[in-house]
Amino acid sequence: MVKKEMQFPIYMDYQSTTPMDKHVLDAMMPYFTEKFGNPHSRSHSFGWESGEAIDIARKQVADLIKADAKEIVFTSGATEANNLAIKGAAHYYRSDEKKHIVTLKTEHKCVLDACRHLEQEGFEITYLSVRPDGLVDIKELSESIRKDTILVSVMAINNEIGVIQPIGEIGRICKEKGVLFHTDAAQSFGKIDMDVNEMNIDLMSISAHKVYGPKGIGALYVRRKPRIRLEPLINGGGQERGVRSGTLPTPLVVGFGKAAEIAGERMVEDYQKIKILSDKFQKEILSIPDVYLNGHKEFKWPGCINVSFAYIEGESLILSAKELAVSSGSACTSDSLEPSYILRALGVEEELAHTSIRFGFGRFTTEEEVDFAIGLIKKSVGKLREMSPLWEMAQEGIDLKSIKWSDH
Amino acid sequence: MAYSDKVMNHYENPRNVGSMDKADKSVGTGLVGAPSCGDVMKLQLKINKEGVIKGR
Protein backbone atom coordinates (compact mmCIF):
# COMPACT_ATOMS: atom_id res chain seq x y z
CA MET A 1 0.00 0.00 0.00
CA VAL A 2 1.26 3.45 -0.87
CA LYS A 3 1.71 5.56 2.22
CA LYS A 4 -0.51 8.62 2.28
CA GLU A 5 1.53 11.78 2.45
CA MET A 6 0.75 14.00 5.39
CA GLN A 7 -1.36 17.01 4.45
CA PHE A 8 -1.42 20.31 6.30
CA PRO A 9 -3.18 21.56 8.28
CA ILE A 10 -3.91 18.33 10.11
CA TYR A 11 -7.62 18.00 10.81
CA MET A 12 -8.26 17.58 14.54
CA ASP A 13 -11.73 19.07 14.82
CA TYR A 14 -13.88 15.97 14.24
CA GLN A 15 -16.43 17.15 16.83
CA SER A 16 -17.42 20.10 14.68
CA THR A 17 -17.76 18.10 11.50
CA THR A 18 -16.22 15.17 9.60
CA PRO A 19 -15.13 14.74 6.01
CA MET A 20 -17.65 12.80 3.97
CA ASP A 21 -16.73 9.23 3.20
CA LYS A 22 -16.17 8.73 -0.55
CA HIS A 23 -18.59 5.80 -0.58
CA VAL A 24 -21.26 8.09 0.80
CA LEU A 25 -20.78 10.57 -2.02
CA ASP A 26 -20.91 7.75 -4.60
CA ALA A 27 -24.24 6.60 -3.17
CA MET A 28 -25.66 10.13 -3.32
CA MET A 29 -24.63 11.17 -6.83
CA PRO A 30 -27.38 9.54 -8.92
CA TYR A 31 -30.05 11.16 -6.79
CA PHE A 32 -28.98 14.65 -7.81
CA THR A 33 -29.43 14.10 -11.53
CA GLU A 34 -31.12 11.10 -13.15
CA LYS A 35 -32.98 9.88 -10.05
CA PHE A 36 -34.33 13.29 -9.17
CA GLY A 37 -37.97 12.46 -8.44
CA ASN A 38 -39.86 13.86 -5.49
CA PRO A 39 -39.98 10.96 -3.04
CA HIS A 40 -43.50 11.99 -2.07
CA SER A 41 -44.82 11.70 -5.64
CA ARG A 42 -46.89 8.53 -5.69
CA SER A 43 -48.20 8.66 -9.25
CA HIS A 44 -45.10 7.82 -11.29
CA SER A 45 -41.83 5.87 -11.26
CA PHE A 46 -39.64 8.92 -10.62
CA GLY A 47 -41.30 9.32 -7.25
CA TRP A 48 -41.32 5.59 -6.51
CA GLU A 49 -37.59 5.36 -7.21
CA SER A 50 -36.76 8.18 -4.79
CA GLY A 51 -39.28 6.90 -2.26
CA GLU A 52 -37.65 3.48 -2.23
CA ALA A 53 -34.22 5.03 -1.71
CA ILE A 54 -35.63 6.95 1.25
CA ASP A 55 -37.11 3.76 2.71
CA ILE A 56 -33.74 2.01 2.53
CA ALA A 57 -31.93 4.95 4.15
CA ARG A 58 -34.56 5.20 6.88
CA LYS A 59 -33.96 1.55 7.73
CA GLN A 60 -30.17 1.99 7.68
CA VAL A 61 -30.43 4.83 10.20
CA ALA A 62 -32.96 2.96 12.36
CA ASP A 63 -30.91 -0.25 12.40
CA LEU A 64 -27.93 1.49 13.96
CA ILE A 65 -29.93 2.43 17.06
CA LYS A 66 -32.08 -0.75 17.10
CA ALA A 67 -35.18 1.22 16.19
CA ASP A 68 -37.96 0.63 13.68
CA ALA A 69 -37.75 2.57 10.41
CA LYS A 70 -41.17 4.09 11.16
CA GLU A 71 -39.65 5.78 14.20
CA ILE A 72 -37.21 7.91 12.20
CA VAL A 73 -38.20 11.49 11.32
CA PHE A 74 -35.73 13.18 9.00
CA THR A 75 -34.79 16.76 9.84
CA SER A 76 -32.22 19.27 8.63
CA GLY A 77 -29.80 18.19 11.35
CA ALA A 78 -29.38 17.73 15.07
CA THR A 79 -30.21 21.34 15.90
CA GLU A 80 -33.63 20.97 14.33
CA ALA A 81 -34.07 17.53 15.89
CA ASN A 82 -33.30 18.93 19.35
CA ASN A 83 -35.70 21.81 18.82
CA LEU A 84 -38.40 19.46 17.56
CA ALA A 85 -37.96 17.04 20.45
CA ILE A 86 -37.95 19.64 23.21
CA LYS A 87 -40.43 22.21 21.91
CA GLY A 88 -42.55 19.57 20.19
CA ALA A 89 -42.98 17.48 23.34
CA ALA A 90 -43.36 20.51 25.60
CA HIS A 91 -46.11 21.99 23.45
CA TYR A 92 -47.97 18.73 22.94
CA TYR A 93 -47.95 17.57 26.56
CA ARG A 94 -48.33 20.99 28.17
CA SER A 95 -51.12 21.36 30.71
CA ASP A 96 -51.65 22.98 34.12
CA GLU A 97 -50.20 19.84 35.65
CA LYS A 98 -47.32 19.44 33.19
CA LYS A 99 -44.94 22.30 32.59
CA HIS A 100 -41.44 21.28 33.71
CA ILE A 101 -38.31 20.14 31.86
CA VAL A 102 -34.98 18.89 33.23
CA THR A 103 -31.69 19.33 31.38
CA LEU A 104 -27.97 19.89 32.06
CA LYS A 105 -25.91 23.06 32.10
CA THR A 106 -23.44 21.34 29.78
CA GLU A 107 -25.91 20.59 26.97
CA HIS A 108 -25.36 21.90 23.46
CA LYS A 109 -26.37 25.52 22.86
CA CYS A 110 -29.38 24.51 20.79
CA VAL A 111 -30.86 22.48 23.66
CA LEU A 112 -30.24 25.26 26.17
CA ASP A 113 -31.57 27.91 23.81
CA ALA A 114 -34.72 25.90 23.05
CA CYS A 115 -35.25 25.58 26.82
CA ARG A 116 -34.74 29.31 27.34
CA HIS A 117 -37.35 29.91 24.66
CA LEU A 118 -39.80 27.64 26.47
CA GLU A 119 -39.15 29.50 29.73
CA GLN A 120 -40.44 32.64 28.05
CA GLU A 121 -43.62 30.73 27.24
CA GLY A 122 -44.10 29.88 30.90
CA PHE A 123 -42.40 26.49 31.15
CA GLU A 124 -40.14 25.81 34.11
CA ILE A 125 -36.69 24.43 33.39
CA THR A 126 -34.20 22.85 35.77
CA TYR A 127 -30.63 23.22 34.51
CA LEU A 128 -28.71 20.63 36.50
CA SER A 129 -25.09 21.19 37.42
CA VAL A 130 -22.57 18.47 36.68
CA ARG A 131 -19.79 17.07 38.83
CA PRO A 132 -16.21 18.35 38.29
CA ASP A 133 -15.65 15.35 35.99
CA GLY A 134 -18.51 16.50 33.74
CA LEU A 135 -20.92 13.68 34.60
CA VAL A 136 -24.40 14.23 35.97
CA ASP A 137 -25.15 13.12 39.51
CA ILE A 138 -27.79 10.44 38.99
CA LYS A 139 -29.35 10.97 42.41
CA GLU A 140 -29.63 14.69 41.82
CA LEU A 141 -31.19 14.08 38.42
CA SER A 142 -33.69 11.63 39.90
CA GLU A 143 -34.67 14.10 42.63
CA SER A 144 -35.11 16.92 40.13
CA ILE A 145 -37.96 15.08 38.39
CA ARG A 146 -41.27 16.46 39.66
CA LYS A 147 -44.95 15.62 39.31
CA ASP A 148 -45.25 18.23 36.58
CA THR A 149 -42.15 17.14 34.63
CA ILE A 150 -42.76 16.43 30.95
CA LEU A 151 -39.27 15.66 29.70
CA VAL A 152 -35.66 15.04 30.70
CA SER A 153 -33.07 15.97 28.06
CA VAL A 154 -29.49 14.77 28.56
CA MET A 155 -26.88 14.43 25.82
CA ALA A 156 -24.95 11.18 25.33
CA ILE A 157 -21.41 12.32 24.39
CA ASN A 158 -20.49 15.90 25.23
CA ASN A 159 -19.21 17.85 22.24
CA GLU A 160 -16.51 19.73 24.13
CA ILE A 161 -15.12 17.32 26.68
CA GLY A 162 -16.27 13.96 25.31
CA VAL A 163 -17.71 12.58 28.54
CA ILE A 164 -20.46 9.99 28.13
CA GLN A 165 -23.46 10.51 30.42
CA PRO A 166 -25.03 7.37 31.94
CA ILE A 167 -27.81 7.24 29.35
CA GLY A 168 -29.05 3.76 30.31
CA GLU A 169 -29.46 4.72 33.96
CA ILE A 170 -31.17 7.99 33.11
CA GLY A 171 -33.51 6.14 30.76
CA ARG A 172 -34.44 3.69 33.49
CA ILE A 173 -35.18 6.48 35.98
CA CYS A 174 -37.31 8.35 33.44
CA LYS A 175 -39.27 5.21 32.66
CA GLU A 176 -39.89 4.51 36.35
CA LYS A 177 -41.05 8.06 36.94
CA GLY A 178 -43.15 8.19 33.79
CA VAL A 179 -41.45 11.12 32.11
CA LEU A 180 -40.13 11.34 28.55
CA PHE A 181 -36.41 10.94 27.93
CA HIS A 182 -34.70 12.77 25.11
CA THR A 183 -31.01 12.44 24.31
CA ASP A 184 -28.92 14.55 21.97
CA ALA A 185 -26.84 11.87 20.26
CA ALA A 186 -25.19 14.13 17.67
CA GLN A 187 -21.73 13.13 18.90
CA SER A 188 -22.48 9.51 19.73
CA PHE A 189 -24.57 8.14 16.86
CA GLY A 190 -22.41 5.71 14.90
CA LYS A 191 -19.52 6.00 17.33
CA ILE A 192 -20.70 4.07 20.37
CA ASP A 193 -23.51 1.54 20.76
CA MET A 194 -26.85 3.28 21.19
CA ASP A 195 -29.86 1.02 21.73
CA VAL A 196 -33.11 2.95 22.13
CA ASN A 197 -34.90 0.04 23.79
CA GLU A 198 -32.18 -1.09 26.14
CA MET A 199 -31.55 2.53 27.15
CA ASN A 200 -35.25 3.47 27.35
CA ILE A 201 -34.80 6.43 25.04
CA ASP A 202 -38.02 8.07 23.81
CA LEU A 203 -36.50 10.74 21.59
CA MET A 204 -33.00 10.85 20.09
CA SER A 205 -31.41 13.57 17.97
CA ILE A 206 -28.98 12.52 15.25
CA SER A 207 -26.75 14.36 12.80
CA ALA A 208 -25.29 12.92 9.59
CA HIS A 209 -22.23 15.12 9.15
CA LYS A 210 -20.72 14.07 12.46
CA VAL A 211 -20.43 10.50 11.14
CA TYR A 212 -18.91 11.08 7.71
CA GLY A 213 -22.26 11.84 6.09
CA PRO A 214 -23.51 14.98 4.34
CA LYS A 215 -24.29 18.28 6.04
CA GLY A 216 -27.87 19.48 6.14
CA ILE A 217 -29.51 16.24 7.20
CA GLY A 218 -30.24 14.58 10.50
CA ALA A 219 -33.06 12.80 12.24
CA LEU A 220 -35.15 12.56 15.34
CA TYR A 221 -35.95 9.11 16.63
CA VAL A 222 -39.52 9.18 17.99
CA ARG A 223 -40.69 6.13 19.96
CA ARG A 224 -43.89 4.47 18.73
CA LYS A 225 -44.54 2.01 21.56
CA PRO A 226 -45.79 3.75 23.60
CA ARG A 227 -46.33 6.42 21.02
CA ILE A 228 -44.68 9.77 21.69
CA ARG A 229 -46.55 12.72 20.24
CA LEU A 230 -44.99 15.98 19.13
CA GLU A 231 -46.35 19.27 17.95
CA PRO A 232 -44.58 20.04 14.65
CA LEU A 233 -42.31 23.04 14.27
CA ILE A 234 -42.87 23.13 10.53
CA ASN A 235 -46.36 22.81 9.08
CA GLY A 236 -47.14 21.90 5.50
CA GLY A 237 -47.77 18.86 3.35
CA GLY A 238 -47.69 16.47 6.29
CA GLN A 239 -44.55 14.55 5.32
CA GLU A 240 -42.72 12.51 8.00
CA ARG A 241 -46.04 11.50 9.58
CA GLY A 242 -47.07 15.08 9.92
CA VAL A 243 -44.26 15.83 12.35
CA ARG A 244 -41.95 17.51 9.87
CA SER A 245 -43.38 18.81 6.61
CA GLY A 246 -41.28 19.58 3.56
CA THR A 247 -39.95 17.54 0.64
CA LEU A 248 -37.17 15.23 1.76
CA PRO A 249 -33.79 15.93 0.14
CA THR A 250 -33.30 12.48 -1.39
CA PRO A 251 -29.52 12.70 -2.03
CA LEU A 252 -28.85 13.83 1.53
CA VAL A 253 -31.10 11.16 3.01
CA VAL A 254 -29.41 8.48 0.89
CA GLY A 255 -25.99 9.73 2.02
CA PHE A 256 -27.12 9.74 5.63
CA GLY A 257 -28.29 6.13 5.30
CA LYS A 258 -25.03 5.05 3.69
CA ALA A 259 -22.99 6.84 6.38
CA ALA A 260 -25.02 5.05 9.07
CA GLU A 261 -24.48 1.69 7.37
CA ILE A 262 -20.70 2.24 7.17
CA ALA A 263 -20.58 3.50 10.76
CA GLY A 264 -22.30 0.30 11.90
CA GLU A 265 -19.85 -1.88 10.00
CA ARG A 266 -16.79 0.03 11.19
CA MET A 267 -17.80 1.00 14.71
CA VAL A 268 -15.51 -1.43 16.54
CA GLU A 269 -12.60 -0.93 14.16
CA ASP A 270 -12.91 2.87 14.23
CA TYR A 271 -13.23 2.93 17.99
CA GLN A 272 -10.15 0.80 18.56
CA LYS A 273 -8.02 2.78 16.16
CA ILE A 274 -9.11 6.11 17.61
CA LYS A 275 -8.55 4.84 21.15
CA ILE A 276 -4.96 3.79 20.45
CA LEU A 277 -4.11 7.11 18.79
CA SER A 278 -5.80 9.31 21.37
CA ASP A 279 -4.35 7.34 24.30
CA LYS A 280 -0.89 7.95 22.94
CA PHE A 281 -1.61 11.62 22.38
CA GLN A 282 -3.12 12.07 25.83
CA LYS A 283 -0.23 10.37 27.59
CA GLU A 284 2.34 12.51 25.80
CA ILE A 285 0.51 15.80 26.22
CA LEU A 286 -0.26 15.22 29.90
CA SER A 287 3.45 14.60 30.48
CA ILE A 288 4.01 18.34 29.94
CA PRO A 289 4.00 20.07 33.36
CA ASP A 290 0.86 22.00 34.39
CA VAL A 291 -1.35 20.50 31.70
CA TYR A 292 -4.77 19.21 32.76
CA LEU A 293 -7.34 16.95 31.14
CA ASN A 294 -10.90 18.29 31.34
CA GLY A 295 -13.71 15.82 31.98
CA HIS A 296 -13.81 12.26 33.27
CA LYS A 297 -10.81 10.12 32.33
CA GLU A 298 -12.72 6.90 31.62
CA PHE A 299 -16.39 7.58 30.95
CA LYS A 300 -15.62 9.30 27.72
CA TRP A 301 -15.37 9.02 23.98
CA PRO A 302 -11.64 8.68 23.20
CA GLY A 303 -11.96 10.80 20.05
CA CYS A 304 -12.30 13.96 22.13
CA ILE A 305 -9.51 15.27 24.32
CA ASN A 306 -9.91 18.64 26.01
CA VAL A 307 -6.81 19.94 27.71
CA SER A 308 -5.91 23.10 29.66
CA PHE A 309 -2.36 24.37 29.18
CA ALA A 310 -1.83 26.55 32.24
CA TYR A 311 -0.20 29.97 31.71
CA ILE A 312 -0.84 29.99 27.95
CA GLU A 313 -3.79 31.56 26.17
CA GLY A 314 -5.62 28.92 24.14
CA GLU A 315 -5.87 31.21 21.19
CA SER A 316 -2.13 31.90 21.11
CA LEU A 317 -1.44 28.17 21.16
CA ILE A 318 -3.79 27.70 18.23
CA LEU A 319 -1.95 30.44 16.34
CA SER A 320 1.39 28.94 17.21
CA ALA A 321 0.40 25.42 16.22
CA LYS A 322 -1.23 26.51 13.01
CA GLU A 323 -0.46 23.24 11.25
CA LEU A 324 -3.23 21.77 13.43
CA ALA A 325 -6.92 22.48 12.82
CA VAL A 326 -8.25 22.43 16.36
CA SER A 327 -10.80 24.33 18.36
CA SER A 328 -10.30 26.43 21.44
CA GLY A 329 -12.18 25.57 24.58
CA SER A 330 -12.56 29.25 25.16
CA ALA A 331 -15.17 30.50 22.79
CA CYS A 332 -12.92 33.05 21.11
CA THR A 333 -13.90 31.36 17.88
CA SER A 334 -17.47 32.52 18.36
CA ASP A 335 -16.41 36.17 18.54
CA SER A 336 -16.73 36.32 22.30
CA LEU A 337 -13.97 36.34 24.83
CA GLU A 338 -16.02 34.43 27.37
CA PRO A 339 -14.47 31.08 28.24
CA SER A 340 -16.46 27.94 27.52
CA TYR A 341 -19.68 27.64 29.53
CA ILE A 342 -19.16 23.89 29.57
CA LEU A 343 -15.77 24.12 31.27
CA ARG A 344 -17.18 26.73 33.65
CA ALA A 345 -20.00 24.31 34.54
CA LEU A 346 -17.33 21.77 35.51
CA GLY A 347 -15.90 24.34 37.89
CA VAL A 348 -12.76 24.87 35.79
CA GLU A 349 -11.39 28.26 36.82
CA GLU A 350 -11.68 31.01 34.31
CA GLU A 351 -7.90 31.33 34.03
CA LEU A 352 -7.58 27.67 33.09
CA ALA A 353 -10.67 27.62 30.89
CA HIS A 354 -8.99 30.28 28.79
CA THR A 355 -6.06 27.97 28.14
CA SER A 356 -7.97 24.95 26.87
CA ILE A 357 -7.92 23.30 23.50
CA ARG A 358 -10.13 20.53 22.15
CA PHE A 359 -8.45 17.85 20.04
CA GLY A 360 -10.52 15.55 17.87
CA PHE A 361 -9.61 12.16 16.46
CA GLY A 362 -11.55 10.36 13.77
CA ARG A 363 -11.69 7.67 11.12
CA PHE A 364 -9.06 9.33 8.96
CA THR A 365 -6.57 10.37 11.66
CA THR A 366 -3.17 8.69 11.17
CA GLU A 367 -0.42 7.83 13.63
CA GLU A 368 1.98 10.01 11.68
CA GLU A 369 -0.35 12.99 12.19
CA VAL A 370 -0.67 12.30 15.90
CA ASP A 371 3.10 12.09 16.31
CA PHE A 372 3.51 15.34 14.45
CA ALA A 373 0.86 17.01 16.62
CA ILE A 374 2.51 15.84 19.83
CA GLY A 375 5.90 17.24 18.78
CA LEU A 376 4.43 20.52 17.61
CA ILE A 377 2.41 21.10 20.77
CA LYS A 378 5.34 20.34 23.04
CA LYS A 379 7.48 22.80 21.09
CA SER A 380 4.80 25.51 21.01
CA VAL A 381 3.98 25.19 24.71
CA GLY A 382 7.65 25.55 25.56
CA LYS A 383 8.06 28.58 23.33
CA LEU A 384 4.94 30.35 24.58
CA ARG A 385 5.66 29.70 28.23
CA GLU A 386 9.15 31.03 27.72
CA MET A 387 7.62 34.43 26.99
CA SER A 388 4.66 34.20 29.37
CA PRO A 389 4.90 36.52 32.39
CA LEU A 390 2.50 34.21 34.22
CA TRP A 391 4.71 31.18 33.69
CA GLU A 392 7.71 33.18 34.88
CA MET A 393 5.87 34.22 38.04
CA ALA A 394 4.70 30.66 38.68
CA GLN A 395 8.25 29.40 38.32
CA GLU A 396 9.35 31.96 40.92
CA GLY A 397 6.82 30.46 43.27
CA ILE A 398 4.37 33.35 43.17
CA ASP A 399 0.79 32.28 43.82
CA LEU A 400 -1.09 33.93 40.96
CA LYS A 401 -4.28 33.83 43.02
CA SER A 402 -2.67 36.10 45.63
CA ILE A 403 -2.51 38.90 43.09
CA LYS A 404 -5.34 41.36 42.67
CA TRP A 405 -5.77 41.36 38.90
CA SER A 406 -7.62 44.08 37.06
CA ASP A 407 -10.43 42.01 35.52
CA HIS A 408 -12.48 43.82 32.97
CA MET B 1 -8.24 34.63 12.19
CA ALA B 2 -8.94 38.30 12.33
CA TYR B 3 -5.40 39.50 12.95
CA SER B 4 -3.49 41.96 10.80
CA ASP B 5 -0.31 40.91 9.02
CA LYS B 6 1.66 43.19 11.31
CA VAL B 7 0.37 41.47 14.46
CA MET B 8 0.99 38.05 12.96
CA ASN B 9 4.51 39.08 11.97
CA HIS B 10 5.33 40.14 15.52
CA TYR B 11 3.72 36.99 16.85
CA GLU B 12 5.81 34.76 14.62
CA ASN B 13 9.02 36.78 14.96
CA PRO B 14 8.84 38.15 18.46
CA ARG B 15 10.98 41.21 19.10
CA ASN B 16 12.02 42.71 22.42
CA VAL B 17 10.80 39.71 24.35
CA GLY B 18 12.39 38.49 27.54
CA SER B 19 12.92 39.39 31.14
CA MET B 20 15.18 41.70 33.07
CA ASP B 21 16.13 41.30 36.68
CA LYS B 22 13.27 42.90 38.55
CA ALA B 23 15.45 43.21 41.68
CA ASP B 24 17.82 45.48 39.79
CA LYS B 25 17.24 49.04 41.08
CA SER B 26 17.55 50.48 37.58
CA VAL B 27 14.73 48.23 36.31
CA GLY B 28 11.10 49.29 36.54
CA THR B 29 8.41 46.62 36.07
CA GLY B 30 4.75 47.04 35.16
CA LEU B 31 2.12 44.29 34.92
CA VAL B 32 -1.41 44.77 33.56
CA GLY B 33 -4.40 42.60 32.58
CA ALA B 34 -5.80 39.48 34.19
CA PRO B 35 -5.33 35.76 33.59
CA SER B 36 -9.11 35.31 33.52
CA CYS B 37 -9.21 37.54 30.45
CA GLY B 38 -6.09 35.99 28.96
CA ASP B 39 -4.39 39.31 28.37
CA VAL B 40 -1.63 39.70 30.97
CA MET B 41 1.19 41.94 29.78
CA LYS B 42 4.47 42.76 31.45
CA LEU B 43 6.58 45.77 30.51
CA GLN B 44 10.06 46.37 31.90
CA LEU B 45 12.21 49.45 31.53
CA LYS B 46 15.87 49.77 32.41
CA ILE B 47 16.95 53.35 32.97
CA ASN B 48 20.58 54.33 33.55
CA LYS B 49 21.87 57.34 35.50
CA GLU B 50 21.90 59.52 32.39
CA GLY B 51 18.21 58.79 31.93
CA VAL B 52 18.65 56.60 28.86
CA ILE B 53 15.86 54.08 28.59
CA LYS B 54 16.28 50.49 27.55
CA GLY B 55 12.92 48.82 27.23
CA ARG B 56 11.94 45.20 27.12
Side-chain angles (χ1 to χ4, degrees), chain A residues 170-235:
Chain A
I170 298 169
R172 186 178 47 76
I173 291 166
C174 290
K175 194 180 181 187
E176 273 169 25
K177 300 213 173 200
V179 298
L180 299 181
F181 177 36
H182 165 248
T183 187
D184 171 5
Q187 298 287 340
S188 57
F189 174 81
K191 301 199 183 111
I192 55 170
D193 256 328
M194 298 292 290
D195 183 325
V196 290
N197 296 313
E198 203 176 280
M199 295 171 158
N200 290 305
I201 295 165
D202 295 311
L203 297 156
M204 185 200 282
S205 302
I206 308 169
S207 167
H209 76 96
K210 308 281 191 195
V211 280
Y212 314 96
K215 292 168 182 64
I217 187 79
L220 180 66
Y221 157 80
V222 185
R223 179 171 290 283
R224 271 163 61 90
K225 285 175 190 166
R227 187 170 176 200
I228 311 300
R229 309 288 296 265
L230 300 171
E231 192 181 289
L233 298 176
I234 298 172
N235 304 106

Side-chain angles (χ1 to χ4, degrees), chain A residues 304-332:
Chain A
C304 178
I305 294 183
N306 188 310
V307 181
S308 292
F309 297 89
Y311 316 117
I312 299 176
E313 239 273 296
E315 203 182 1
S316 65
L317 185 54
I318 288 180
L319 280 181
S320 171
K322 61 178 181 305
E323 288 88 351
L324 307 182
V326 294
S327 156
S328 168
S330 59
C332 299

Side-chain angles (χ1 to χ4, degrees), chain A residues 262-290:
Chain A
I262 297 172
E265 287 164 5
R266 296 190 50 146
M267 196 185 285
V268 176
E269 184 191 335
D270 278 356
Y271 186 96
Q272 284 169 348
K273 190 193 101 168
I274 289 167
K275 174 108 173 74
I276 290 167
L277 294 179
S278 81
D279 277 357
K280 178 180 189 179
F281 180 85
Q282 183 172 317
K283 188 168 156 267
E284 289 288 333
I285 296 305
L286 293 183
S287 73
I288 306 171
D290 299 301

Side-chain angles (χ1 to χ4, degrees), chain A residues 315-316 354 392 396 407, chain B residues 3 11 19 22 36 39 42:
Chain A
E315 203 182 1
S316 65
H354 262 291
E392 190 182 85
E396 286 168 11
D407 290 61
Chain B
Y3 291 106
Y11 178 80
S19 257
K22 64 176 189 265
S36 61
D39 61 357
K42 187 167 97 170

Side-chain angles (χ1 to χ4, degrees), chain A residues 313 315-320 322 339 350-351 354 383-384 387 389-390 392-393 396 398 405-408, chain B residues 1 3 7-8 11-12 14 17-20 22 31-42 44:
Chain A
E313 239 273 296
E315 203 182 1
S316 65
L317 185 54
I318 288 180
L319 280 181
S320 171
K322 61 178 181 305
E350 217 167 326
E351 294 89 295
H354 262 291
K383 186 184 112 183
L384 292 169
M387 58 170 106
L390 295 174
E392 190 182 85
M393 290 161 80
E396 286 168 11
I398 298 168
W405 298 99
S406 51
D407 290 61
H408 45 82
Chain B
M1 287 272 182
Y3 291 106
V7 168
M8 283 309 294
Y11 178 80
E12 276 161 15
V17 171
S19 257
M20 292 190 283
K22 64 176 189 265
L31 190 66
V32 290
S36 61
C37 305
D39 61 357
V40 175
M41 190 167 72
K42 187 167 97 170
Q44 290 189 306

